[in-house]
């Protein structure tokens, strides 16, 4: 159930607000729109929102200014950015401010729903972690190694990415407990660490199988019906996106663009790219890895 989640979408292009509303309302979300940063602040001051989806480039007040305001006044609100081609600097600033994730424009309904769902899951986990702190689930030797890495990098600026890379090598993935440990050790907020993990595709928050299948839900792949291939992979392997098969052989992830749009629809298994995918072809390919 997601109807308890209240979302505000902020964009100066009304067509963007309308399409986000249409897609997310169909999923059961409670959603409203604001056409400027100022309008958004007025609404946020009057109502409680769980999640704000905001554009970065807006006249009058840009998205970064709105995010800074949110961080100061409503730190509990989750933030996802909707963005076209922002400069590296802007993205870096947004990551440092602890956005949960981003949706690249133009977006497909599948990407929007996937990112929103993951952001909501993350927000819910934060709340339940505050209510009942979870016990560590990792062997003490792993925890010691993580702490050693944190200590080694602690005083170096810009150390979050190398620390997270080493932690992923140690644990195999970056679950919330590891992210929190890294955040605490590096004196950063959990939101900041989480946004780095969700931004860079080489990080994963879920365990991966021996063969990791990445299915592109970006625009070029989406219009060429990649969802049919994705559904076939899920049916063949009997798992959902984000899961690992019982024998730990396969895992499925969805991504926003694999940078091979000319080959759409595209999937990548481990490091191998497969273009012009169809449900029929994909079953044959999976059999080669079985
Ligand atoms: S949209 Fe699929 S590879 Fe770019």
């Amino acid at each position: 159930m997601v109807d308890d989640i209240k979302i505000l979408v902020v964009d100066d292009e009304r067509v963007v607000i309308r399409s986000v509303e249409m897609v997310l309302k169909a999923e059961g979300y409670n959603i409203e729109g604001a056409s400027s940063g100022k309008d958004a602040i007025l609404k946020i001051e009057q109502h409680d929102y769980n999640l704000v989806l905001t554009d970065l480039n807006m006249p009058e007040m840009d998205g970064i200014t709105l995010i800074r305001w949110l961080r100061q006044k409503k730190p509990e609100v989750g933030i996802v950015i909707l963005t076209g081609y922002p400069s590296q600097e802007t993205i870096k600033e947004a990551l440092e401010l602890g956005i949960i994730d981003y949706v690249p424009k133009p977006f497909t309904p599948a990407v929007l729903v996937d990112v929103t769902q993951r952001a909501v899951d993350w927000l819910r986990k934060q709340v339940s972690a505050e209510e009942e702190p979870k016990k560590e689930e990792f062997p003490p030797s792993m925890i010691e190694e993580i702490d050693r890495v944190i200590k080694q990098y602690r005083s170096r600026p810009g150390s979050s990415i190398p620390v997270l890379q080493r932690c992923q090598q140690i644990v195999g993935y970056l679950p919330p407990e590891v992210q929190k440990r890294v955040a605490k050790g590096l004196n950063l907020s959990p939101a900041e660490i989480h946004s780095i993990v969700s931004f860079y595709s080489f990080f994963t928050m879920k365990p991966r199988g021996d063969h990791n299948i990445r299915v592109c839900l970006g625009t070029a792949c989406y219009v060429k019906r990649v969802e049919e291939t994705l559904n076939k992979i899920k049916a063949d392997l009997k798992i959902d996106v984000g899961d690992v098969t019982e024998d730990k052989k396969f895992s499925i992830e969805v991504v926003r663009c694999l940078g091979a749009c000319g080959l759409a629809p595209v999937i990548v298994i481990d490091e191998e790219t497969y273009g012009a995918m169809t449900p029929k072809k994909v079953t044959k390919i999976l059999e080669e890895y079985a």
Side-chain angles (χ1 to χ4, degrees):
M1 287 295 283
V2 292
D3 56 359
D4 58 325
I5 297 293
K6 206 161 171 200
I7 299 176
L8 182 68
V9 50
V10 189
D11 203 301
D12 56 318
E13 293 175 83
R14 286 189 189 272
V15 61
V16 174
I17 297 182
R18 271 201 301 276
S19 47
V20 172
E21 277 179 341
M22 209 173 70
V23 172
L24 295 184
K25 264 187 188 156
E27 295 295 311
Y29 291 100
N30 190 343
I31 179 156
E32 286 173 19
S35 56
S36 70
K38 282 186 181 159
D39 185 19
I41 288 178
L42 279 176
K43 286 195 159 145
I44 296 164
E45 276 173 337
Q46 285 165 20
H47 307 281
D48 287 332
Y49 295 96
N50 306 94
L51 192 61
V52 170
L53 269 57
T54 181
D55 185 16
L56 288 182
N57 289 323
M58 292 183 286
E60 284 184 58
M61 181 187 281
D62 64 18
I64 290 292
T65 310
L66 173 64
I67 295 172
R68 261 201 222 105
W69 179 87
L70 272 164
R71 279 285 154 262
Q72 271 182 9
K73 308 279 181 189
K74 302 264 178 178
E76 71 286 2
V77 176
I79 303 165
V80 167
I81 56 173
L82 298 164
T83 177
Y85 295 99
S87 72
Q88 284 296 97
E89 271 316 294
T90 320
I91 277 283
K92 202 169 155 255
E93 218 178 332
L95 292 176
E96 280 164 5
L97 287 165
I99 56 162
I100 301 179
D101 211 333
Y102 77 106
V103 177
K105 284 205 256 178
F107 52 81
T108 62
V111 167
L112 179 64
V113 169
D114 177 59
V115 172
T116 307
Q117 186 54 53
R118 280 192 282 132
V120 167
D121 288 347
W122 186 78
L123 284 169
R124 288 206 163 116
K125 269 190 201 130
Q126 297 305 300
V127 174
S128 56
E130 270 165 31
E131 281 164 4
E132 51 174 278
K134 225 169 137 204
K135 270 186 44 218
E136 297 291 359
E137 280 169 4
F138 304 102
S141 58
M142 232 178 221
I143 307 278
E144 275 167 29
E145 222 179 320
I146 290 173
D147 288 345
R148 226 185 349 259
V149 171
I150 294 172
K151 204 169 155 200
Q152 185 189 342
Y153 282 87
R154 189 176 278 150
S155 51
R156 303 188 203 169
S159 56
S160 44
I161 291 180
V163 169
L164 288 166
Q165 279 175 318
R166 293 280 303 276
C167 290
Q168 183 159 291
Q169 281 164 2
I170 296 164
V171 183
Y173 65 114
L174 295 168
E177 304 87 76
V178 172
Q179 292 180 40
K180 271 195 199 139
R181 202 164 188 98
V182 172
K184 202 168 167 208
L186 297 181
N187 212 7
L188 297 169
S189 72
E192 195 172 328
I193 289 296
H194 177 85
S195 63
I196 293 169
V197 173
S198 45
F199 186 75
Y200 294 100
S201 59
F202 45 82
F203 290 131
T204 177
M205 289 184 240
K206 294 219 174 178
R208 284 176 174 158
D210 299 339
H211 300 296
N212 188 45
I213 306 164
R214 288 185 290 155
V215 179
C216 178
L217 293 184
T219 309
C221 293
Y222 191 76
V223 295
K224 295 221 168 159
R225 307 169 42 161
V226 73
E227 273 198 304
E228 290 173 7
T229 297
L230 174 60
N231 289 339
K232 187 70 169 74
I233 298 172
K234 292 200 282 191
D236 284 355
L237 300 179
K238 299 186 184 63
I239 54 169
D240 220 325
V241 171
D243 294 339
V244 182
T245 50
E246 243 177 64
D247 60 5
K248 311 250 182 299
K249 253 197 169 141
F250 293 100
S251 49
I252 314 174
E253 271 174 34
V254 293
V255 293
R256 287 157 268 218
C257 178
L258 286 161
C261 311
L263 303 176
V266 183
I267 69 165
V268 169
I269 304 181
D270 303 332
E271 301 306 321
E272 198 69 44
T273 303
Y274 297 92
M277 247 330 99
T278 63
K280 219 172 176 180
K281 277 195 206 166
V282 86
T283 298
K284 280 218 176 95
I285 292 168
L286 291 179
E287 279 166 11
E288 286 166 21
Y289 285 85

